[in-house]
Amino acid sequence: MSERKRKTRKWSAEVTQTSDALDLETGVFNSDDPAHIARSLKRSAEQSGRRKSSPFRSAMSMLTFYLNRAGKNLSAARTRKLDAAKVELRKLFGRKPD
Protein backbone atom coordinates (compact mmCIF):
# COMPACT_ATOMS: atom_id res chain seq x y z
CA MET A 1 0.00 0.00 0.00
CA SER A 2 1.20 3.48 -0.74
CA GLU A 3 1.23 6.16 1.88
CA ARG A 4 -0.84 9.27 1.45
CA LYS A 5 1.23 12.28 0.53
CA ARG A 6 0.91 15.17 2.89
CA LYS A 7 -0.13 18.43 1.31
CA THR A 8 2.38 21.23 1.65
CA ARG A 9 -0.28 23.94 1.51
CA LYS A 10 -2.82 24.34 4.23
CA TRP A 11 -6.51 24.32 3.37
CA SER A 12 -7.04 27.48 5.41
CA ALA A 13 -4.61 29.42 3.22
CA GLU A 14 -6.56 28.33 0.17
CA VAL A 15 -9.83 29.49 1.76
CA THR A 16 -8.53 32.98 2.42
CA GLN A 17 -7.13 33.20 -1.12
CA THR A 18 -10.02 31.67 -3.03
CA SER A 19 -13.08 32.05 -0.84
CA ASP A 20 -16.25 30.81 -2.49
CA ALA A 21 -18.35 33.44 -0.71
CA LEU A 22 -16.16 36.54 -1.09
CA ASP A 23 -13.77 37.80 -3.75
CA LEU A 24 -11.05 39.17 -1.51
CA GLU A 25 -8.56 41.83 -2.53
CA THR A 26 -5.12 40.28 -2.93
CA GLY A 27 -3.09 40.64 0.26
CA VAL A 28 -5.91 42.30 2.19
CA PHE A 29 -4.84 40.72 5.47
CA ASN A 30 -1.26 41.92 5.01
CA SER A 31 -2.20 45.59 5.15
CA ASP A 32 -0.92 47.64 8.09
CA ASP A 33 -4.04 49.83 8.13
CA PRO A 34 -7.00 48.31 10.02
CA ALA A 35 -9.39 50.73 8.28
CA HIS A 36 -8.15 49.55 4.86
CA ILE A 37 -8.71 45.91 5.82
CA ALA A 38 -12.22 46.70 7.07
CA ARG A 39 -13.14 48.74 3.97
CA SER A 40 -11.86 46.01 1.66
CA LEU A 41 -13.80 43.27 3.48
CA LYS A 42 -16.95 45.42 3.49
CA ARG A 43 -16.63 46.09 -0.24
CA SER A 44 -16.06 42.40 -0.99
CA ALA A 45 -19.00 41.30 1.14
CA GLU A 46 -21.40 43.84 -0.35
CA GLN A 47 -20.42 43.01 -3.94
CA SER A 48 -20.64 39.25 -3.52
CA GLY A 49 -23.72 37.50 -4.80
CA ARG A 50 -22.59 34.13 -3.45
CA ARG A 51 -22.67 34.87 0.26
CA LYS A 52 -25.32 33.16 2.36
CA SER A 53 -25.68 35.68 5.17
CA SER A 54 -25.60 39.45 5.60
CA PRO A 55 -22.58 41.39 4.31
CA PHE A 56 -21.55 42.21 7.89
CA ARG A 57 -21.59 38.57 8.97
CA SER A 58 -19.72 37.43 5.88
CA ALA A 59 -16.99 40.05 6.29
CA MET A 60 -16.63 39.46 10.04
CA SER A 61 -16.60 35.69 9.53
CA MET A 62 -13.75 35.92 7.03
CA LEU A 63 -11.71 38.16 9.34
CA THR A 64 -12.36 35.90 12.34
CA PHE A 65 -11.54 32.83 10.28
CA TYR A 66 -8.21 34.35 9.27
CA LEU A 67 -7.39 35.30 12.86
CA ASN A 68 -8.29 31.85 14.17
CA ARG A 69 -6.41 29.89 11.51
CA ALA A 70 -3.29 32.07 11.35
CA GLY A 71 -3.35 33.21 14.96
CA LYS A 72 -0.48 31.21 16.37
CA ASN A 73 1.80 32.35 13.54
CA LEU A 74 0.92 36.04 13.84
CA SER A 75 2.94 38.52 15.87
CA ALA A 76 1.25 40.35 18.71
CA ALA A 77 1.36 43.59 16.71
CA ARG A 78 -0.27 41.92 13.69
CA THR A 79 -3.00 40.42 15.88
CA ARG A 80 -3.71 43.85 17.38
CA LYS A 81 -4.07 45.35 13.89
CA LEU A 82 -6.48 42.63 12.83
CA ASP A 83 -8.48 43.05 16.04
CA ALA A 84 -8.58 46.79 15.30
CA ALA A 85 -9.92 45.90 11.85
CA LYS A 86 -12.83 44.12 13.58
CA VAL A 87 -13.64 47.33 15.46
CA GLU A 88 -13.44 49.32 12.19
CA LEU A 89 -15.67 46.81 10.44
CA ARG A 90 -18.31 47.18 13.16
CA LYS A 91 -18.14 50.98 12.75
CA LEU A 92 -18.51 50.77 8.98
CA PHE A 93 -21.64 48.65 9.33
CA GLY A 94 -23.05 50.80 12.15
CA ARG A 95 -22.81 48.03 14.74
CA LYS A 96 -22.13 48.40 18.44
CA PRO A 97 -18.57 47.64 19.53
CA ASP A 98 -18.04 44.42 21.50
Side-chain angles (χ1 to χ4, degrees):
M1 292 191 152
S2 64
E3 289 185 36
R4 288 175 61 181
K5 285 188 173 184
R6 186 174 179 123
K7 288 185 178 183
T8 57
R9 287 185 58 134
K10 302 234 183 225
W11 65 270
S12 55
E14 186 176 338
V15 168
T16 56
Q17 292 170 1
T18 60
S19 167
D20 190 39
L22 301 179
D23 293 324
L24 298 174
E25 176 186 337
T26 304
V28 65
F29 296 113
N30 296 329
S31 175
D32 287 332
D33 182 12
H36 175 262
I37 296 169
R39 284 191 309 269
S40 178
L41 287 170
K42 182 178 192 267
R43 186 173 40 254
S44 295
E46 289 177 336
Q47 290 176 351
S48 176
R50 298 182 313 268
R51 62 181 160 69
K52 295 180 181 176
S53 60
S54 71
F56 172 73
R57 285 183 61 183
S58 292
M60 189 60 78
S61 292
M62 185 56 74
L63 182 52
T64 302
F65 174 80
Y66 183 78
L67 270 166
N68 288 344
R69 299 310 303 169
K72 66 182 177 182
N73 296 323
L74 295 174
S75 67
R78 189 89 205 113
T79 302
R80 280 192 303 274
K81 286 182 184 176
L82 292 170
D83 282 333
K86 282 182 163 183
V87 173
E88 289 295 322
L89 195 57
R90 287 186 188 99
K91 286 180 189 175
L92 287 174
F93 279 101
R95 301 290 178 114
K96 293 179 183 177
D98 271 352

